Amino acid sequence: MAVIDGNALAGVLADVLGPDATVTRLRCRGCGSAGVVGRTSVLRSAMGWVGRCRDCDTVLVTVVETPHGRLVGLPGARTVGTPGA
């Protein structure tokens, strides 16, 4: 499975985080580093998407496709902020 960057999450997160979700700032619960969604390491499978911290590999973002829509989780994000925050 190929690892891609967080820009691949732009479309799937737009409904939750806004039209340009890749610039949403996340602070990692694991190591405390801060960065934008577009900087995460993303794995895509038939079950969904997983975005991990590039510094410590903590799972920051999960997206699961269901018949009823998308389920988005931010299990490893200590904080979530808009650009400039």
Side-chain angles (χ1 to χ4, degrees), residues 6-61:
N7 291 306
L9 291 171
V12 297
L13 291 177
D15 291 342
V16 176
L17 298 177
D20 193 0
T22 62
V23 297
T24 299
R25 297 192 56 76
L26 302 175
R27 180 165 303 278
C28 178
R29 187 178 304 278
C31 69
S33 68
V36 295
V37 170
R39 187 175 177 271
T40 61
S41 297
V42 177
L43 297 170
R44 169 104 164 111
S45 72
M47 294 176 10
W49 307 74
V50 175
R52 294 180 171 273
C53 175
R54 285 201 185 260
D55 295 325
C56 74
D57 211 34
T58 293
V59 174
L60 295 173
V61 180

Side-chain angles (χ1 to χ4, degrees), residues 46-85:
M47 294 176 10
W49 307 74
V50 175
R52 294 180 171 273
C53 175
R54 285 201 185 260
D55 295 325
C56 74
D57 211 34
T58 293
V59 174
L60 295 173
V61 180
T62 59
V63 181
V64 178
E65 303 282 349
T66 74
H68 307 290
R70 290 188 179 111
L71 298 175
V72 175
L74 298 164
R78 184 182 315 157
T79 60
V80 178
T82 57

